[in-house]
mmCIF file with all atom_site columns, all heavy atoms in Angstrom:
data_model
loop_
_atom_site.group_PDB
_atom_site.id
_atom_site.type_symbol
_atom_site.label_atom_id
_atom_site.label_alt_id
_atom_site.label_comp_id
_atom_site.label_asym_id
_atom_site.label_entity_id
_atom_site.label_seq_id
_atom_site.pdbx_PDB_ins_code
_atom_site.Cartn_x
_atom_site.Cartn_y
_atom_site.Cartn_z
_atom_site.occupancy
_atom_site.B_iso_or_equiv
_atom_site.pdbx_formal_charge
_atom_site.auth_seq_id
_atom_site.auth_comp_id
_atom_site.auth_asym_id
_atom_site.auth_atom_id
_atom_site.pdbx_PDB_model_num
ATOM 1  N N   . GLY A 1 20  ? 37.562 -10.337 19.328 1.00 94.00 ? 25  GLY A N   1
ATOM 2  C CA  . GLY A 1 20  ? 37.031 -9.107  18.752 1.00 94.00 ? 25  GLY A CA  1
ATOM 3  C C   . GLY A 1 20  ? 38.020 -8.415  17.847 1.00 94.00 ? 25  GLY A C   1
ATOM 4  O O   . GLY A 1 20  ? 39.065 -8.965  17.494 1.00 94.00 ? 25  GLY A O   1
ATOM 5  N N   . VAL A 1 33  ? 35.328 -3.877  18.992 1.00 94.00 ? 38  VAL A N   1
ATOM 6  C CA  . VAL A 1 33  ? 34.089 -4.545  18.595 1.00 94.00 ? 38  VAL A CA  1
ATOM 7  C C   . VAL A 1 33  ? 34.211 -5.979  19.083 1.00 94.00 ? 38  VAL A C   1
ATOM 8  O O   . VAL A 1 33  ? 35.084 -6.726  18.631 1.00 94.00 ? 38  VAL A O   1
ATOM 9  C CB  . VAL A 1 33  ? 33.895 -4.531  17.062 1.00 94.00 ? 38  VAL A CB  1
ATOM 10 C CG1 . VAL A 1 33  ? 32.616 -5.250  16.683 1.00 94.00 ? 38  VAL A CG1 1
ATOM 11 C CG2 . VAL A 1 33  ? 33.892 -3.115  16.534 1.00 94.00 ? 38  VAL A CG2 1
ATOM 12 N N   . ILE A 1 46  ? 36.316 -14.509 13.485 1.00 91.00 ? 51  ILE A N   1
ATOM 13 C CA  . ILE A 1 46  ? 36.116 -13.103 13.122 1.00 91.00 ? 51  ILE A CA  1
ATOM 14 C C   . ILE A 1 46  ? 36.784 -12.750 11.799 1.00 91.00 ? 51  ILE A C   1
ATOM 15 O O   . ILE A 1 46  ? 36.345 -11.852 11.090 1.00 91.00 ? 51  ILE A O   1
ATOM 16 C CB  . ILE A 1 46  ? 36.594 -12.195 14.267 1.00 91.00 ? 51  ILE A CB  1
ATOM 17 C CG1 . ILE A 1 46  ? 35.999 -10.802 14.132 1.00 91.00 ? 51  ILE A CG1 1
ATOM 18 C CG2 . ILE A 1 46  ? 38.089 -12.147 14.346 1.00 91.00 ? 51  ILE A CG2 1
ATOM 19 C CD1 . ILE A 1 46  ? 36.157 -9.954  15.352 1.00 91.00 ? 51  ILE A CD1 1
ATOM 20 N N   . ILE A 1 69  ? 36.061 2.230   24.828 1.00 92.00 ? 74  ILE A N   1
ATOM 21 C CA  . ILE A 1 69  ? 34.905 2.430   23.952 1.00 92.00 ? 74  ILE A CA  1
ATOM 22 C C   . ILE A 1 69  ? 34.491 1.080   23.373 1.00 92.00 ? 74  ILE A C   1
ATOM 23 O O   . ILE A 1 69  ? 35.290 0.411   22.703 1.00 92.00 ? 74  ILE A O   1
ATOM 24 C CB  . ILE A 1 69  ? 35.245 3.414   22.818 1.00 92.00 ? 74  ILE A CB  1
ATOM 25 C CG1 . ILE A 1 69  ? 35.697 4.748   23.417 1.00 92.00 ? 74  ILE A CG1 1
ATOM 26 C CG2 . ILE A 1 69  ? 34.049 3.610   21.903 1.00 92.00 ? 74  ILE A CG2 1
ATOM 27 C CD1 . ILE A 1 69  ? 36.277 5.705   22.406 1.00 92.00 ? 74  ILE A CD1 1
ATOM 28 N N   . GLN A 1 79  ? 18.250 -2.256  10.566 1.00 72.00 ? 84  GLN A N   1
ATOM 29 C CA  . GLN A 1 79  ? 17.618 -3.448  11.110 1.00 72.00 ? 84  GLN A CA  1
ATOM 30 C C   . GLN A 1 79  ? 16.618 -4.027  10.125 1.00 72.00 ? 84  GLN A C   1
ATOM 31 O O   . GLN A 1 79  ? 15.831 -3.308  9.530  1.00 72.00 ? 84  GLN A O   1
ATOM 32 C CB  . GLN A 1 79  ? 16.886 -3.115  12.418 1.00 72.00 ? 84  GLN A CB  1
ATOM 33 C CG  . GLN A 1 79  ? 17.800 -2.663  13.523 1.00 72.00 ? 84  GLN A CG  1
ATOM 34 C CD  . GLN A 1 79  ? 18.614 -3.810  14.090 1.00 72.00 ? 84  GLN A CD  1
ATOM 35 O OE1 . GLN A 1 79  ? 18.142 -4.924  14.177 1.00 72.00 ? 84  GLN A OE1 1
ATOM 36 N NE2 . GLN A 1 79  ? 19.847 -3.522  14.457 1.00 72.00 ? 84  GLN A NE2 1
ATOM 37 N N   . GLN A 1 83  ? 11.052 -11.566 12.519 1.00 57.00 ? 88  GLN A N   1
ATOM 38 C CA  . GLN A 1 83  ? 9.908  -12.460 12.433 1.00 57.00 ? 88  GLN A CA  1
ATOM 39 C C   . GLN A 1 83  ? 9.465  -12.844 13.828 1.00 57.00 ? 88  GLN A C   1
ATOM 40 O O   . GLN A 1 83  ? 10.273 -12.998 14.733 1.00 57.00 ? 88  GLN A O   1
ATOM 41 C CB  . GLN A 1 83  ? 10.269 -13.731 11.676 1.00 57.00 ? 88  GLN A CB  1
ATOM 42 C CG  . GLN A 1 83  ? 10.263 -13.565 10.191 1.00 57.00 ? 88  GLN A CG  1
ATOM 43 C CD  . GLN A 1 83  ? 10.333 -14.916 9.500  1.00 57.00 ? 88  GLN A CD  1
ATOM 44 O OE1 . GLN A 1 83  ? 10.589 -15.934 10.124 1.00 57.00 ? 88  GLN A OE1 1
ATOM 45 N NE2 . GLN A 1 83  ? 10.098 -14.914 8.217  1.00 57.00 ? 88  GLN A NE2 1
ATOM 46 N N   . ALA A 1 86  ? 6.064  -17.297 15.779 1.00 55.00 ? 91  ALA A N   1
ATOM 47 C CA  . ALA A 1 86  ? 5.088  -18.092 15.048 1.00 55.00 ? 91  ALA A CA  1
ATOM 48 C C   . ALA A 1 86  ? 5.435  -18.161 13.564 1.00 55.00 ? 91  ALA A C   1
ATOM 49 O O   . ALA A 1 86  ? 4.850  -18.935 12.835 1.00 55.00 ? 91  ALA A O   1
ATOM 50 C CB  . ALA A 1 86  ? 3.693  -17.506 15.226 1.00 55.00 ? 91  ALA A CB  1
ATOM 51 N N   . GLY A 1 88  ? 5.447  -15.473 11.311 1.00 57.00 ? 93  GLY A N   1
ATOM 52 C CA  . GLY A 1 88  ? 4.952  -14.381 10.483 1.00 57.00 ? 93  GLY A CA  1
ATOM 53 C C   . GLY A 1 88  ? 5.307  -13.043 11.073 1.00 57.00 ? 93  GLY A C   1
ATOM 54 O O   . GLY A 1 88  ? 5.662  -12.929 12.235 1.00 57.00 ? 93  GLY A O   1
ATOM 55 N N   . ARG A 1 102 ? -1.985 -29.308 18.727 1.00 51.00 ? 107 ARG A N   1
ATOM 56 C CA  . ARG A 1 102 ? -0.784 -29.809 18.075 1.00 51.00 ? 107 ARG A CA  1
ATOM 57 C C   . ARG A 1 102 ? -1.094 -30.027 16.593 1.00 51.00 ? 107 ARG A C   1
ATOM 58 O O   . ARG A 1 102 ? -1.916 -30.845 16.234 1.00 51.00 ? 107 ARG A O   1
ATOM 59 C CB  . ARG A 1 102 ? -0.342 -31.118 18.695 1.00 51.00 ? 107 ARG A CB  1
ATOM 60 C CG  . ARG A 1 102 ? -0.092 -31.028 20.176 1.00 51.00 ? 107 ARG A CG  1
ATOM 61 C CD  . ARG A 1 102 ? 1.399  -31.043 20.426 1.00 51.00 ? 107 ARG A CD  1
ATOM 62 N NE  . ARG A 1 102 ? 1.677  -31.169 21.832 1.00 51.00 ? 107 ARG A NE  1
ATOM 63 C CZ  . ARG A 1 102 ? 1.910  -30.124 22.615 1.00 51.00 ? 107 ARG A CZ  1
ATOM 64 N NH1 . ARG A 1 102 ? 1.870  -28.928 22.131 1.00 51.00 ? 107 ARG A NH1 1
ATOM 65 N NH2 . ARG A 1 102 ? 2.174  -30.286 23.884 1.00 51.00 ? 107 ARG A NH2 1
ATOM 66 N N   . ALA A 1 121 ? 10.615 -25.211 13.498 1.00 86.00 ? 126 ALA A N   1
ATOM 67 C CA  . ALA A 1 121 ? 9.509  -26.104 13.846 1.00 86.00 ? 126 ALA A CA  1
ATOM 68 C C   . ALA A 1 121 ? 9.759  -26.765 15.201 1.00 86.00 ? 126 ALA A C   1
ATOM 69 O O   . ALA A 1 121 ? 8.852  -26.867 16.035 1.00 86.00 ? 126 ALA A O   1
ATOM 70 C CB  . ALA A 1 121 ? 9.334  -27.171 12.764 1.00 86.00 ? 126 ALA A CB  1
#
Side-chain angles (χ1 to χ4, degrees):
V38 179
I51 199 167
I74 302 170
Q84 296 287 325
Q88 280 192 349
R107 303 254 189 265

